[in-house]
Amino acid sequence: MKVKYLFLTLVVSVMALSCKKDTNQQPDNIFKFRDYISYTTSGLVSTADPIKIDLAKEVDSWEPNKELSLKIIKISPEIDGKLTALNSRSLIFQPSKNLEQNTEYTVTILLHKIYNNVPEEFKTFTFKFKTIQQNFSINTTNFQSYNREWKYIEGLLKTTDILTLENAKTILSASQKNKNLKIKWNESDSLSTQFQFIIDSVQRFVDDSEVIIAWNGKKINVENKGESSFKIPGKNNFSILNVEVIQSPEQYLKINFSDPIKMQQNFDGLVEIQNNNNVTFTVDGNILKVFPSTRIAGNVQVEVFQGISSTDGYKLKNNFSEIIAFEQLKPQVRLVSSGVILPNSNDLKFNFEAVNLKAVDVRIIKIFENNILQFLQTDNLGSNN
């Protein structure tokens, strides 16, 4: 009996110590501090984001864009930067350089150095957030033609966190028959999470060849390295390279051919989608877009027949037949533009796109002129939520 009692006491003691340790590691409860704190940076954020804090009470001595003493805030791991008041109750810490990726930061606000007569239990408020771990993916989209001999491959580089174009260019390389190919980038993507590129001057030989696309994230501190091959059909091999379903803004089947498609030809009967008649077609260089008469969901048989011709008069050598998955889109709504403020007008339009929804409830909030500045500042502070 004594042995059992000692064992039970030991287990309870260990559990109590464990719970105590976990409690000490947790940041303070924002609900408990609701009289002092209304918002902080939280969750998973970009390494380029500033740290934002919104107070519940105004500080009379704070003016917009006024630099504040760093003594009212502590950050771990330590980072250099500038602390600024946005207004009388909002402050922002702008790091001098990007935060470290995949890192948890702990921020403590010394409320007793901001307000007078703060009770002991409310003198400091602590919160945590974590930065995104950078990574990337590379997708080739279209194979297009300058002429019968020279081609180019369009592609998209996507990153999990924002990246400069200069760094994006260090990731990708391409070659054909051991010859490096030039990669052209969309220069407007100077700081983004998506970068459009073109693998240029791809040569079309008599026989089939390959373009080797290689990537390496070493220079941006990402362990992601590899390569893939892109088949380039020979000059006399008019063929289908890829078939893809595009779901939005309208559903269609995108068929990528090896050569530009002859526009003045009748595609009826040459492309068939199971259980879907009266399909329509548009040609865009090497791309044939096939629009079904009604939206498709599920797996259906798609067939492309040999009668299709290239601009050089070559016929498709082999029939194509494959089961293609048309996924059912989840119900969703999105704005056509990023604007949220509508000016005073008699002809007011609020444009949005919806899919798989019978109805949408729209809530419109009127912001009076004397509250516009406060609304903008609050909206910017809450942009990460």
Side-chain angles (χ1 to χ4, degrees):
M1 182 65 70
K2 290 183 179 179
V3 173
K4 290 183 179 179
Y5 177 80
L6 289 172
F7 176 75
L8 179 60
T9 303
L10 178 62
V11 171
V12 173
S13 300
V14 170
M15 290 177 64
L17 287 172
S18 177
C19 291
K20 184 177 181 181
K21 181 178 180 181
D22 289 343
T23 301
N24 290 337
Q25 288 179 343
Q26 295 298 317
D28 291 337
N29 189 343
I30 195 170
F31 180 76
K32 175 183 175 183
F33 282 75
R34 64 189 181 277
D35 291 336
Y36 297 93
I37 303 292
S38 62
Y39 170 85
T40 66
T41 293
S42 61
L44 204 60
V45 303
S46 170
T47 57
D49 283 349
I51 301 171
K52 302 174 183 178
I53 302 164
D54 213 3
L55 303 176
K57 298 179 180 180
E58 291 188 353
V59 182
D60 294 335
S61 61
W62 287 5
E63 298 176 356
N65 301 318
K66 178 181 179 180
E67 188 171 352
L68 304 176
S69 170
L70 292 173
K71 293 181 179 181
I72 66 174
I73 191 172
K74 294 180 180 179
I75 303 174
S76 178
E78 290 186 4
I79 47 177
D80 294 328
K82 180 180 178 182
L83 187 65
T84 307
L86 294 177
N87 51 50
S88 61
R89 64 172 64 188
S90 303
L91 60 155
I92 184 170
F93 178 82
Q94 184 65 60
S96 56
K97 63 179 182 179
N98 283 0
L99 303 174
E100 294 295 324
Q101 61 172 295
N102 194 32
T103 301
E104 184 178 74
Y105 286 88
T106 301
V107 182
T108 299
I109 309 169
L110 307 181
L111 292 171
H112 63 285
K113 292 188 176 182
I114 299 176
Y115 301 115
N116 295 323
N117 302 320
V118 177
E120 184 68 29
E121 65 269 28
F122 295 109
K123 284 189 173 182
T124 61
F125 174 77
T126 300
F127 64 93
K128 295 182 180 182
F129 65 89
K130 190 173 183 180
T131 52
I132 298 171
Q133 181 173 3
Q134 184 65 281
N135 211 331
F136 62 86
S137 63
I138 295 169
N139 297 296
T140 52
T141 53
N142 297 323
F143 179 68
Q144 292 282 23
S145 303
Y146 290 121
N147 50 49
R148 190 160 179 256
E149 183 172 354
W150 296 101
K151 314 290 177 178
Y152 62 92
I153 301 169
E154 296 176 344
L156 186 66
L157 167 65
K158 292 184 177 182
T159 60
T160 55
D161 197 6
I162 62 170
L163 191 69
T164 63
L165 177 59
E166 182 180 356
N167 284 330
K169 290 179 178 180
T170 67
I171 295 173
L172 191 64
S173 63
S175 62
Q176 184 183 28
K177 291 193 171 184
N178 296 320
K179 179 183 177 182
N180 290 333
L181 299 176
K182 183 178 181 180
I183 299 177
K184 294 181 178 179
W185 297 84
N186 185 341
E187 296 295 332
S188 64
D189 301 329
S190 58
L191 184 67
S192 180
T193 57
Q194 297 191 57
F195 302 88
Q196 298 175 344
F197 64 86
I198 289 175
I199 301 175
D200 202 31
S201 302
V202 177
Q203 191 170 356
R204 186 89 176 274
F205 297 97
V206 175
D207 298 321
D208 293 353
S209 62
E210 288 184 335
V211 169
I212 304 300
I213 303 171
W215 57 89
N216 191 334
K218 182 178 180 180
K219 291 188 177 180
I220 61 169
N221 299 318
V222 174
E223 294 182 4
N224 187 350
K225 180 181 179 180
E227 64 177 36
S228 64
S229 61
F230 192 101
K231 182 181 176 181
I232 309 299
K235 291 181 180 179
N236 296 328
N237 184 9
F238 180 48
S239 57
I240 293 175
L241 301 180
N242 184 48
V243 177
E244 180 183 359
V245 176
I246 305 299
Q247 296 282 17
S248 179
E250 56 185 327
Q251 187 186 61
Y252 65 90
L253 193 67
K254 186 177 78 172
I255 306 175
N256 197 171
F257 288 81
S258 59
D259 296 87
I261 306 161
K262 183 180 178 181
M263 298 185 67
Q264 304 302 323
Q265 59 181 307
N266 186 358
F267 296 101
D268 292 339
L270 296 179
V271 180
E272 293 185 357
I273 300 177
Q274 181 183 353
N275 300 326
N276 203 287
N277 299 321
N278 301 319
V279 295
T280 56
F281 308 89
T282 61
V283 174
D284 179 17
N286 293 42
I287 306 296
L288 177 64
K289 298 178 181 180
V290 186
F291 297 86
S293 55
T294 58
R295 182 168 282 273
I296 303 172
N299 298 327
V300 299
Q301 184 85 23
V302 174
E303 294 184 281
V304 185
F305 300 102
Q306 290 176 284
I308 294 180
S309 300
S310 70
T311 53
D312 291 326
Y314 290 97
K315 299 285 186 180
L316 190 65
K317 285 191 173 183
N318 299 301
N319 291 337
F320 172 90
S321 180
E322 194 170 301
I323 300 293
I324 303 295
F326 288 77
E327 295 182 357
Q328 180 72 29
L329 287 180
K330 295 180 180 179
Q332 57 182 313
V333 178
R334 72 177 181 184
L335 297 179
V336 174
S337 64
S338 59
V340 293
I341 298 177
L342 300 176
N344 186 21
S345 173
N346 294 325
D347 186 22
L348 216 53
K349 294 181 180 179
F350 182 72
N351 299 315
F352 63 90
E353 296 176 345
V355 61
N356 283 346
L357 289 171
K358 292 183 179 179
V360 175
D361 292 330
V362 178
R363 181 187 179 195
I364 299 176
I365 301 174
K366 181 176 180 179
I367 308 298
F368 293 95
E369 291 183 8
N370 59 338
N371 290 330
I372 286 291
L373 181 60
Q374 181 180 351
F375 170 77
L376 289 174
Q377 290 168 340
T378 303
D379 184 63
N380 286 334
L381 284 174
S383 62
N384 285 330
N385 283 352

